[in-house]
Amino acid sequence: MIATATLPEASVTCASCEACCCRLEVMLITDTGVPERFIETDQWGGRTMARSDDGWCAALDRNTMACSIYEQRPLICREFEMGGYECLAERAAHDL
C-alpha cells in the first residue's frame, strides 16, 4: 500500500508565497539564459543553480522573496506551478 498525505487547502498567491521552492536543488537541463554567476558546475559537468550559504537559491532577492532573474529562470522553475501539488507539499514540509 502506498502512503498518502493530505495537503492543506491553501490559496497561494504572489502575496502569500514564501518561496519554499527556492530551497530545492535546481538542475539546469536546458539553456534559458541564466547568468553564469548563478550557475554551479559539479566535477562531472552537471550544472545547477548556485545556492547561498544558507541554502536558498542565489538568484532569490531576499528583500522581496522574488526571483531576481525571473525572465531568465530555469525551465524547471518555469514549470513549477504556484499552488500546485509540489508547491503545497514544500509549504507543508516547512509548516507554512
Side-chain angles (χ1 to χ4, degrees):
M1 183 171 277
I2 299 173
T4 61
T6 303
L7 296 175
E9 291 296 322
S11 177
V12 182
T13 66
C14 290
S16 66
C17 178
E18 297 287 334
C20 292
C21 57
C22 295
R23 296 179 185 178
L24 298 171
E25 182 173 20
V26 175
M27 296 186 69
L28 301 175
I29 54 174
T30 62
D31 182 20
T32 57
V34 173
E36 287 296 320
R37 70 183 179 276
F38 295 117
I39 298 174
E40 292 180 344
T41 304
D42 66 22
Q43 63 190 27
W44 301 282
R47 294 163 45 96
T48 59
M49 288 297 294
R51 297 181 152 310
S52 298
D53 291 338
D54 59 5
W56 289 86
C57 177
L60 179 67
D61 179 329
R62 297 297 289 275
N63 292 320
T64 63
M65 296 304 279
C67 181
S68 66
I69 59 165
Y70 189 79
E71 293 300 320
Q72 295 135 338
R73 69 194 186 281
L75 178 63
I76 193 72
C77 298
R78 293 169 187 268
E79 293 180 343
F80 197 91
E81 182 182 357
M82 182 171 39
Y85 175 80
E86 292 89 357
C87 173
L88 295 179
E90 280 303 306
R91 290 174 63 84
H94 293 91
D95 295 322
L96 299 175

